[in-house]
Amino acid sequence: MGRPPCCDKIGVKKGPWTPEEDIMLVSYIQENGAGNWRAVPTNTGLLRCSKSCRLRWTNYLRPGIKRGNFSDHEEKMIIHLQALLGNRWAAIASYLPQRTDNDIKNHWNTHLKKKLKKQLQTDPNLKDDSFIASDKGQWERTLQTDIHMARKALCEALSLDKPTTTTTTDTTTITTTTTTTTSSDHDHHQQELLLMKPSNVDHQNGCYSYTAKPSVIPQQKQPSSYASSTENISRLLEGWMMSSTKNPEISSNQTNSETTRCSFNNKTAESSSSEGSSSAPFEQSFESLLIGFDSSTTATTTTRTTNTATTTMTTSSSVVQLFQDECKPDFEITMPSVAAAPLMLLEKWLFDEGAVQDHEDSLEISLEGTPELF
DNA sequence: AAACCTAACAACCGCCACGAG
DNA sequence: TCTCGTGGCGGTTGTTAGGTT
């Protein structure tokens, strides 16, 4: 007897998600946070497998996901990381925080693999191994250096009581604290980290800022942690509008709800640029869904003091959990162990503009044989 | 205009790791 | 230590849009 399926196969819907389903899922996660996927279908009424809900969230609806064309830099990153890590897409995706592993995997399979294959065919002298090996050496050396730096930083963090490092990058702006291993410090910093929440989300540039909120954190759910999903909802509704004209399932229902859908779509479409207002009931219900989305998206700077964090120890666990769940996939801000610290630095190094630039130089060297790839 | 082909991407499936009891 | 539930991950398939014949 094998393990029972994660969900009852009977009555479970498969195939593409409809906007209605997306909205149900999003609103549920907004209310309850991501996690306990098993309960999601039950609590939302979605006729979907819990795993399907999780995948839909992580691969499509999750805040901060960048879609569309991969930049040259991203492609280079993927190629090199793939050479180093193999098909460990999740690991590769951790270096491209705005991309999902699925997205990277698809891009690799549909674009990059062919590019490389073509390149290898046109230039048989270009051996994959040598290509990887030379670069790998550079990476490993840099990794060693970073581990050393990380250890040093850790030592400093342990010796100083105000461990604060600021990471500012071109693609990601994170203000965080150095994680430590001593119990008190660790807990303290963990709590500081957990109290930070996305205060500024710039999807255009993929820029996040995290700000420790003052002590006023309600006992109940914190919808604002879904603040960055406005674009996602807007996007899915755009898809809704498009698909509604051809999706029989939806178009068949296009009767009285069509107008409200249109107006909501307009609203969400413009919501990214301005604060509009409309009286459509459907829209209002969505507005309430989006409310809490945060006012802070207009903030442009990140400010954070140690005081604010230390005075907010009464945070409800749900909030903490919610934020953990929201952020972990993107930035791994909460470091469960000291072992993650070097990784953090490595990530910092990877995304640091200067470092990337420097590193790109080395990439250029190692990619000299494949200039036409890019 | 229709049939066919291909690329792109969303979603599914099965396996595995991990934590709780 | 074992079992079970859950979530993560990678491989694969299915669907659809766009291009070509």
Side-chain angles (χ1 to χ4, degrees):
Chain A
M1 300 295 265
R3 177 189 300 177
C6 68
C7 52
D8 190 2
K9 296 284 183 185
I10 301 167
V12 172
K13 191 182 171 192
K14 292 165 82 171
W17 281 65
T18 65
E20 291 96 334
E21 289 176 311
D22 282 339
I23 288 160
M24 287 168 77
L25 180 59
V26 164
S27 59
Y28 175 81
I29 291 174
Q30 183 201 3
E31 290 278 319
N32 302 282
N36 192 15
W37 295 105
R38 184 83 171 178
V40 172
T42 312
N43 295 340
T44 59
L46 284 167
L47 300 175
R48 293 279 181 173
C49 163
S50 60
K51 186 180 274 189
S52 181
C53 294
R54 183 174 56 80
L55 284 174
R56 182 63 180 173
W57 172 256
T58 55
N59 287 336
Y60 200 86
L61 300 173
R62 180 164 58 86
I65 293 178
K66 180 180 169 187
R67 310 197 72 80
N69 293 337
F70 281 69
S71 66
D72 285 352
H73 177 241
E74 284 176 315
E75 290 195 341
K76 284 180 185 178
M77 290 279 288
I78 293 168
I79 288 171
H80 281 263
L81 288 167
Q82 201 279 341
L84 285 169
L85 304 171
N87 293 354
R88 295 171 58 200
W89 305 116
I92 293 171
S94 68
Y95 292 94
L96 297 162
Q98 295 178 297
R99 301 287 188 179
T100 67
D101 55 351
N102 206 37
D103 216 10
I104 292 170
K105 181 173 59 182
N106 283 332
H107 191 68
W108 171 263
N109 287 330
T110 56
H111 293 95
L112 301 180
K113 202 157 75 173
K114 290 173 188 172
K115 270 187 180 179
L116 282 178
K117 191 176 179 181
K118 190 178 175 183
Q119 173 56 32
L120 287 172
Q121 282 176 346
T122 55
D123 186 1
N125 292 329
L126 187 67
K127 286 287 184 187
D128 218 2
D129 288 348
S130 60
F131 158 70
I132 294 169
S134 63
D135 195 42
K136 199 171 192 170
Q138 288 177 344
W139 276 63
E140 283 173 352
R141 279 194 295 277
T142 317
L143 181 61
Q144 288 288 337
T145 307
D146 277 294
I147 289 171
H148 176 72
M149 288 171 60
R151 282 180 180 156
K152 192 177 172 184
L154 179 61
C155 290
E156 288 172 5
L158 287 167
S159 60
L160 298 172
D161 209 23
K162 294 180 185 178
T164 302
T165 60
T166 301
T167 302
T168 304
T169 73
D170 185 41
T171 57
T172 307
T173 300
I174 304 171
T175 302
T176 182
T177 58
T178 306
T179 317
T180 67
T181 48
T182 56
S183 57
S184 59
D185 273 353
H186 177 75
D187 292 343
H188 175 68
H189 295 145
Q190 279 291 86
Q191 286 179 358
E192 280 192 6
L193 290 168
L194 294 177
L195 290 167
M196 290 158 58
K197 52 190 300 182
S199 63
N200 182 23
V201 184
D202 181 354
H203 290 285
Q204 208 71 16
N205 301 316
C207 180
Y208 277 63
S209 297
Y210 286 86
T211 302
K213 287 283 178 186
S215 55
V216 195
I217 297 178
Q219 280 294 77
Q220 80 241 61
K221 311 119 187 177
Q222 277 283 314
S224 57
S225 58
Y226 193 67
S228 51
S229 298
T230 313
E231 183 186 319
N232 286 346
I233 294 186
S234 174
R235 187 177 62 225
L236 72 87
L237 282 155
E238 283 171 23
W240 188 355
M241 288 302 297
M242 287 188 290
S243 64
S244 65
T245 59
K246 47 202 160 188
N247 186 346
E249 185 178 348
I250 294 175
S251 52
S252 66
N253 295 329
Q254 271 184 338
T255 52
N256 54 352
S257 63
E258 186 169 359
T259 53
T260 55
R261 284 177 186 173
C262 288
S263 92
F264 178 64
N265 188 52
N266 290 338
K267 156 77 176 173
T268 53
E270 65 186 41
S271 69
S272 58
S273 57
S274 65
E275 299 290 324
S277 65
S278 167
S279 58
F282 189 67
E283 174 194 342
Q284 284 176 349
S285 69
F286 268 105
E287 202 161 25
S288 68
L289 176 72
L290 299 177
I291 278 177
F293 255 35
D294 165 351
S295 35
S296 53
T297 50
T298 54
T300 54
T301 56
T302 299
T303 55
R304 188 173 160 298
T305 64
T306 51
N307 282 348
T308 53
T310 52
T311 55
T312 48
M313 297 308 182
T314 55
T315 314
S316 71
S317 60
S318 63
V319 172
V320 169
Q321 183 60 40
L322 175 59
F323 182 54
Q324 271 184 298
D325 292 337
E326 299 282 288
C327 297
K328 190 180 172 186
D330 286 342
F331 302 117
E332 292 191 9
I333 283 182
T334 57
M335 287 298 168
S337 69
V338 66
L343 195 58
M344 190 69 172
L345 275 172
L346 178 58
E347 289 182 4
K348 172 190 175 298
W349 161 71
L350 275 167
F351 288 106
D352 181 83
E353 178 59 21
V356 164
Q357 204 53 48
D358 291 342
H359 186 65
E360 268 196 30
D361 292 340
S362 67
L363 294 187
E364 297 300 337
I365 294 168
S366 59
L367 283 170
E368 270 178 1
T370 61
E372 57 272 39
L373 272 177
F374 308 103

